[in-house]
Amino acid sequence: MAFKPLPNMAEEIRALIGDGESLPPVDKWHPERVGEIDIRIASDGHWYYQGEEMTRESVVRLFSTILRKDDDGYCLVTPAEKMRIQVDDAPFVVRLMDVEGQGESQAVHLSTNVGDSFTLSAEHPLRVYTNEKGDPKPYATVRRNLEALLSRSVYYELVELAVPRSEDSENYGVWSAGEFFSLV
């Protein structure tokens, strides 16, 4: 099978995004043309097209802005078409964390591999899933219903901030934006 160049959708996506300040309203687009494209997002956050890593960060960031999760899986969506893609785990990975304040009034700020930045909050909650080996797998909602897996180093930074929810509680977690997020 011959390698096909990636379809030139970047110009169309840039037109949809405009100034880059806001994300396109992909949740409102329901195109009739539906298909699949050989794009895979690996569990480490790297994007692949036909088995080859996509090395142009600007293209990956552009595609990430039109990513949507539907009942039938992940897809890239424009007003004209919806193309299903494969995602091994979560589509994004949190690589950086910053903390502002302390205790119940602190804010935990996170940044992903594709440039999304957000604060853990009711709108961007953290959930920790324990896999079959008993290892924690922490995820944060980035936007819409898209999540990011927290890198191991970021998760360890969160663990260092862990406090019990109350004095007699065994539920340890972190506070951010007035919300308590359990780490167990």
Side-chain angles (χ1 to χ4, degrees):
M1 182 169 163
F3 181 78
K4 297 177 191 172
L6 191 61
N8 187 7
M9 295 187 280
E11 205 166 297
E12 181 182 342
I13 298 168
R14 284 187 188 98
L16 294 170
I17 295 173
D19 60 11
E21 293 296 318
S22 60
L23 293 167
V26 297
D27 54 327
K28 295 180 178 155
W29 295 337
H30 304 286
E32 291 182 22
R33 185 173 170 203
V34 176
E36 292 184 18
I37 188 168
D38 188 8
I39 291 179
R40 179 177 72 88
I41 305 173
S43 58
D44 64 3
H46 289 97
W47 289 53
Y48 295 85
Y49 176 66
Q50 294 187 336
E52 298 289 323
E53 185 174 354
M54 296 171 64
T55 57
R56 290 189 54 200
E57 189 175 315
S58 63
V59 171
V60 169
R61 284 182 186 224
L62 263 160
F63 280 6
S64 77
T65 65
I66 61 165
L67 183 63
R68 182 172 87 188
K69 184 178 180 187
D70 291 342
D71 292 338
D72 60 346
Y74 292 93
C75 53
L76 300 177
V77 182
T78 69
E81 59 189 351
K82 170 183 165 180
M83 304 301 279
R84 280 187 297 279
I85 66 169
Q86 180 185 344
V87 177
D88 292 351
D89 191 350
F92 311 125
V93 176
V94 171
R95 302 238 191 254
L96 298 171
M97 182 182 99
D98 186 40
V99 181
E100 183 179 9
Q102 293 180 5
E104 291 183 29
S105 62
Q106 77 185 359
V108 177
H109 308 291
L110 303 174
S111 297
T112 71
N113 60 315
V114 294
D116 287 296
S117 295
F118 58 96
T119 302
L120 282 182
S121 62
E123 183 182 355
H124 302 281
L126 173 75
R127 72 177 178 91
V128 179
Y129 160 77
T130 303
N131 68 16
E132 59 280 347
K133 296 178 184 177
D135 299 327
K137 290 197 70 165
Y139 298 88
T141 300
V142 179
R143 52 183 143 93
R144 300 177 194 96
N145 62 344
L146 299 174
E147 291 186 314
L149 175 66
L150 275 64
S151 67
R152 182 169 289 174
S153 61
V154 170
Y155 181 66
Y156 288 160
E157 286 181 68
L158 275 180
V159 168
E160 288 180 19
L161 296 173
V163 296
R165 183 171 190 140
S166 61
E167 283 190 35
D168 60 344
S169 176
E170 292 185 25
N171 183 7
Y172 279 77
V174 296
W175 288 94
S176 182
E179 300 283 330
F180 183 81
F181 299 99
S182 178
L183 293 178
V184 292

